[in-house]
Amino acid sequence: MKRNPAALFFVAAVVAAMLFVGFHAARRAGGDASADSLDVAGKPAPDFTLQSLDGKNIQLSSYKGQAVLLNFWATWCGPCKIEMPWFVELQKEYGPQGLQIVGVAMDDASKDEITKFVKEMGVNYTILLGKESVGQEYGGVNVLPTTFFIDRDGKIVAREFGLQSRSLFVDNIKKALSQGHAVQAQK
Amino acid sequence: MQMTNKPLAIALLLVTSCALAQSPGKKAPSVTMAPVEPVTVTRGKGGAVSLHFRVASGFHINSNTPKSEFLIPTALKMDAPTDIVLTKLTYPQGAEMSFPFAPNEPLSVYSGDFTVSMTVRPLHTVQPGKYAIHGDLKYQACDNAACYPPKHLPVDFEVKVLKGATPAGKNPAQSPHAHR
């Protein structure tokens, strides 16, 4: 049977195009871990209001004028536990310069269990009780930890998936602190 | 293959490979279960069932007895008909493994293949026939640098209940629990 070379090439091109489109659709839907920060950098961080462990409603935009490290984590996430002592240190070191670290617990665990965990870890920064809807606003958060670095104007500077080096966090914090306008935080 | 088709075949392979190369660097974590042959059991007696699971390469899940109260254990929850009793649910022991994110705290995990076994025991009152047993395996996976939300894997297998010998002096059809 004779095959038409042009037809075969056309089929190959269609298959390739379908795979390409399928991949990008899956990536948008699933919060792909391999996506770098470039596709979110410069975009406004979606605002939300979540309850803190002490029962207060905290709105992300209330931190305008400060740089925010927004960390999605869970009590069952081993790599998240490694970052937490770093965040404690970084909050102490960069807090006076205008950094606020905010941890969002994407957990099925109860508030009491999360509180117990946070106490055991000696956390000194704000912990909020996460909601699926907030995770969706941030691309699905299907990988934990996922960390966003937000500048003083509320724009995303960088996003990191999974456990990263402490030095990368420091670099991103410095970047977030250096961008936007420092104003008195209104709480 | 004819010579004229060779370059086209190579072109097809290259184009397809280029498209696949766009796929994410990290695979999604998954646990799969090997198909289970129908289990044949005589009513009133027990039969062993083994469920073979596979954790995708590069991932691990917590064992049934993780070392921290905060970790989510792998757990099989089955839903069987009332007169078919599932007993002796047995999980393998987890492997003690250390990971880059916790080099000094070995975890109890399953990776690669693992098997969960149980005994199926249809009561004397069960009508002979085929019964579908359903359930789900809850697991929570991680790799070396990240963790993924808990997932549920549907678990299904079929039990074929045979009549067997009726115990002397007993007539199952007269049991108040007999299926009619």
Side-chain angles (χ1 to χ4, degrees), chain A residues 9 22 24 67 82 120 134 138 141 162 180-181:
Chain A
F9 192 80
H24 282 282
I82 302 303
E120 279 179 17
V134 172
Y138 279 82
V141 192
H181 300 88

Side-chain angles (χ1 to χ4, degrees), chain B residues 152-178:
Chain B
H152 292 264
L153 174 72
V155 170
D156 300 289
F157 62 88
E158 190 179 87
V159 175
K160 188 179 176 187
V161 178
L162 303 179
K163 190 176 179 184
T166 306
K170 287 186 179 177
N171 181 357
Q174 292 176 349
S175 163
H177 304 293

Side-chain angles (χ1 to χ4, degrees), chain B residues 56-69:
Chain B
S57 173
F59 297 97
H60 62 268
I61 62 176
N62 294 312
S63 75
N64 180 246
T65 51
K67 293 193 161 195
S68 160
E69 60 179 308

Side-chain angles (χ1 to χ4, degrees), chain B residues 69-81:
Chain B
E69 60 179 308
F70 294 111
L71 298 177
I72 297 172
T74 294
L76 184 63
K77 190 178 174 189
M78 300 302 298
D79 183 19

